[in-house]
Amino acid sequence: MGTGQGLVGVNDHGLHIIIKKSWTVRNFRFDEFTAIARDSKTLEIDAQRIRDTVYMLVSTQMKFITAILQKFQRR
């Protein structure tokens, strides 16, 4: 998808990525993506319904986002 800044949110509806450059919102239900922790600051999001689309999320807060995703995906 390229490199850029954005915002990420997680709630009981799924994962939400807002790309700041275009203010485009990508919403994914928990069954529509796979999250793979690469290290303590990097999370790979494989968007299954958008073929060949992978988001690499990098943040110092990634361990908290990963924990929230794990909690909701267990449901």
Side-chain angles (χ1 to χ4, degrees):
M1 289 297 300
T3 304
Q5 293 185 340
L7 305 169
V8 174
V10 178
N11 63 17
D12 56 340
H13 296 286
L15 174 72
H16 314 283
I17 301 172
I18 302 169
I19 302 164
K20 280 184 138 180
K21 184 176 181 179
S22 62
W23 290 107
T24 305
V25 179
R26 303 282 187 240
N27 298 303
F28 301 99
R29 292 186 325 258
F30 292 107
D31 62 344
E32 295 180 321
F33 69 92
T34 303
I36 303 164
R38 294 294 175 202
D39 58 45
S40 64
K41 295 181 186 176
T42 307
L43 186 66
E44 179 180 312
I45 301 295
D46 182 0
Q48 297 161 352
R49 70 178 159 102
I50 304 174
R51 188 178 178 152
D52 299 327
T53 300
V54 174
Y55 296 90
M56 296 300 286
L57 308 178
V58 181
S59 170
T60 56
Q61 302 297 315
M62 198 52 62
K63 67 180 179 180
F64 300 111
I65 293 171
T66 301
I68 293 167
L69 284 174
Q70 289 173 348
K71 176 182 175 183
F72 280 115
Q73 285 187 310
R74 280 188 232 137
R75 290 182 177 188

